[in-house]
Amino acid sequence: CLPILYEVENNDLRLFPAEWNVQEQKWQPFVLADNWDDPAYDWEQNCAYCHTTGFDVERGRPEDEGVQCEACHGPGSIHAEIAGDAGRRPDEEELLEIRASIYTGVDGQTCGQCHARGTNADGLPYPAGYTPGSNLSDFWTPAAAEDSVHWWNSGHAKLPNMQYSEWSVSTHSQSLTNLKETEGAQAFCLTCHSSDYLYTEQLQDAVESGDREGTAPESLTLETAQFGITCSTCHDVHAENTNHNAFIAEGSGYDLCVSCHTDDDPTNGFHHAMRQMYEGVTFFEEVPGVPAAHFTAEEGPDCVTCHMPAVPIESAMRSSHLFQPILPGAVLDETVLQDSCSECHGEQATPVQMQALIDDIQADTVARVEKARTAITENTPEWVSIALELIEGEGSDGIHNYSYTDQLLDAVELALGLVTIAEGDAGQ
């Protein structure tokens, strides 16, 4: 939807109490308060910071209209001055100085200055004074998680421009921190745990292919990497096409998710083998792989369908960035928010029944795995322990592909003598 600005007096702008719905091609109310000239409609106080570049709160004027380079990469005057002094053919040292004078923008806080909800010390809904590279929390306090104005009971955001707010409480935001706290972590793990590591690798590739001048930067290490999985890991904001899919950094949403949530090598135990479990990849001759029903369904759901559900945001629907499904049990008392299951399975079961099924599957999976663990001996075939690691490391406790999980556990229990052949056949 496109809001409209109305000039009350010279350069004194208000949001018009109507907006243009681009998808439906019609006008609709844009209600922010009971009365139109309420401060909620004040453009400078509520909107200008995120829709311009270099907005001066005191003057109520921006340096530039729209979101320009400096909004994400910081003030460019020093960068331009250094580049100008170096001339058209900078040497290696000058080139490094030019590049060091501008912020790369891979930090999630760069996006968070606008894609979040909160207030600064003066009560303004944006972090006045923040520049990319600074600590966002020094300029701004996020909306409290228990604030029902901003959040649904499920923990998903309720208002527009809260992608960073959701991401901040997701495990993606802690991916690098958790890695550094993990015993045995290695540098190659940064491929899926660090956005600035990936960015550095991309620069190296560009130098090697001849698309970038100068010396390639050194690879980051566990000690030098700074940022986890941030917005830039999944989104290419420099995409020429403004179609939503053009902002996805690599292929489809599913391709992007399983580029990290995958593990083909069981040597050191499975770690985030979501793709293998979902697609039913065969690892053991004792248990043929079984693809999930969702995976084989024509135009069936994928990672994004359930983990980035469309959430009602005022008059539109937006993809959540909490990366958690909306479970049926979390929204039983909600009249607007729909859980991630009912959209497709609403005619098959009630939300109460679906939540009970989810709980039963996960509880059963956990109990069977724990029982199998206690029965392992030094004579147990190696594949049994690896199969249990696959189920545990995949992370959904059977939800992503219950058929495959069940067959793996049937075979494990049979190998451990926890069931007889007849019982094992009955379980299958």
Side-chain angles (χ1 to χ4, degrees):
C1 297
L2 296 176
I4 307 300
L5 292 180
Y6 180 81
E7 190 170 28
V8 179
E9 297 178 4
N10 186 34
N11 290 325
D12 187 8
L13 302 174
R14 297 284 189 276
L15 290 164
F16 202 64
E19 61 183 356
W20 179 250
N21 188 315
V22 178
Q23 291 183 328
E24 298 183 16
Q25 292 291 294
K26 68 177 183 180
W27 289 98
Q28 62 189 30
F30 184 55
V31 180
L32 297 176
D34 293 336
N35 301 311
W36 175 64
D37 206 25
D38 187 276
Y41 290 98
D42 190 301
W43 159 256
E44 285 82 10
Q45 292 297 305
N46 298 294
C47 309
Y49 176 90
C50 291
H51 290 267
T52 63
T53 300
F55 183 71
D56 188 317
V57 177
E58 299 297 327
R59 295 176 57 246
R61 298 288 182 272
E63 290 291 334
D64 296 291
E65 294 183 358
V67 180
Q68 307 294 339
C69 307
E70 290 176 301
C72 301
H73 296 287
S77 57
I78 297 177
H79 176 72
E81 181 180 345
I82 294 174
D85 291 342
R88 297 183 62 184
R89 296 184 178 278
D91 58 30
E92 183 66 27
E93 184 176 343
E94 290 171 329
L95 197 56
L96 289 173
E97 187 179 8
I98 291 170
R99 289 169 175 167
S101 64
I102 199 73
Y103 192 64
T104 60
V106 298
D107 179 5
Q109 295 178 109
T110 302
C111 304
Q113 62 179 310
C114 290
H115 291 275
R117 289 277 176 163
T119 55
N120 73 353
D122 296 322
L124 295 173
Y126 46 78
Y130 169 83
T131 55
S134 302
N135 189 345
L136 185 60
S137 62
D138 292 340
F139 300 86
W140 176 86
T141 301
E146 62 273 11
D147 183 352
S148 61
V149 173
H150 292 85
W151 302 94
W152 295 103
N153 289 340
S154 62
H156 296 75
K158 184 182 281 189
L159 296 180
N161 304 317
M162 290 187 66
Q163 294 91 337
Y164 178 83
S165 305
E166 291 185 307
W167 169 87
S168 296
V169 295
S170 75
T171 53
H172 277 174
S173 69
Q174 298 298 313
S175 61
L176 182 59
T177 301
N178 293 339
L179 175 65
K180 290 186 176 184
E181 294 175 351
T182 301
E183 185 178 352
Q186 300 181 46
F188 71 82
C189 303
L190 292 169
T191 302
C192 290
H193 284 263
S194 171
S195 59
D196 50 330
Y197 175 86
L198 282 174
Y199 177 70
T200 301
E201 297 295 298
Q202 291 168 0
L203 295 181
Q204 292 176 345
D205 291 342
V207 172
E208 184 176 349
S209 65
D211 294 330
R212 181 181 173 87
E213 296 181 5
T215 303
E218 294 184 4
S219 294
L220 300 185
T221 66
L222 288 170
E223 290 72 32
T224 58
Q226 298 182 63
F227 309 118
I229 300 303
T230 65
C231 315
S232 65
T233 309
C234 302
H235 294 278
D236 181 5
V237 297
H238 294 130
E240 295 181 6
N241 189 339
T242 56
N243 178 281
H244 171 75
N245 289 330
F247 289 95
I248 300 297
E250 179 184 332
S252 70
Y254 180 74
D255 292 338
L256 181 61
C257 295
V258 299
S259 66
C260 279
H261 292 278
T262 185
D263 189 354
D264 281 318
D265 184 7
T267 305
N268 296 312
F270 284 102
H271 178 61
H272 290 286
M274 284 77 166
R275 182 184 72 81
Q276 286 74 17
M277 179 62 76
Y278 189 63
E279 296 180 8
V281 175
T282 298
F283 285 101
F284 320 104
E285 61 181 22
E286 293 82 1
V287 191
V290 182
H294 283 163
F295 179 69
T296 57
E298 185 176 355
E299 298 183 0
D302 58 19
C303 314
V304 172
T305 310
C306 299
H307 288 270
M308 298 186 70
V311 178
I313 303 293
E314 294 183 344
S315 61
M317 301 292 287
R318 304 283 175 84
S319 294
S320 168
H321 282 66
L322 188 64
F323 307 108
Q324 291 291 337
I326 303 175
L327 294 177
V331 292
L332 293 176
D333 297 328
E334 296 282 6
T335 58
V336 178
L337 186 64
Q338 186 178 59
D339 65 84
S340 299
C341 305
S342 293
E343 183 174 353
C344 294
H345 298 288
E347 295 182 0
Q348 297 171 290
T350 67
V352 172
Q353 292 170 328
M354 283 186 284
Q355 186 62 58
L357 176 62
I358 292 170
D359 294 341
D360 287 346
I361 288 174
Q362 293 187 316
D364 179 64
T365 300
V366 171
R368 293 173 73 184
V369 169
E370 290 178 351
K371 185 176 181 179
R373 285 282 185 203
T374 62
I376 292 176
T377 69
E378 59 182 15
N379 297 320
T380 299
E382 184 181 11
W383 72 265
V384 170
S385 294
I386 297 174
L388 293 176
E389 289 171 354
L390 171 60
I391 295 169
E392 291 179 307
E394 183 272 332
S396 74
D397 293 330
I399 296 301
H400 287 155
N401 188 347
Y402 179 67
S403 295
Y404 192 18
T405 302
D406 186 47
Q407 291 203 28
L408 283 166
L409 287 170
D410 283 344
V412 164
E413 290 165 345
L414 192 60
L416 291 171
L418 295 175
V419 296
T420 65
I421 294 179
E423 291 172 329
D425 290 342
Q428 295 177 15

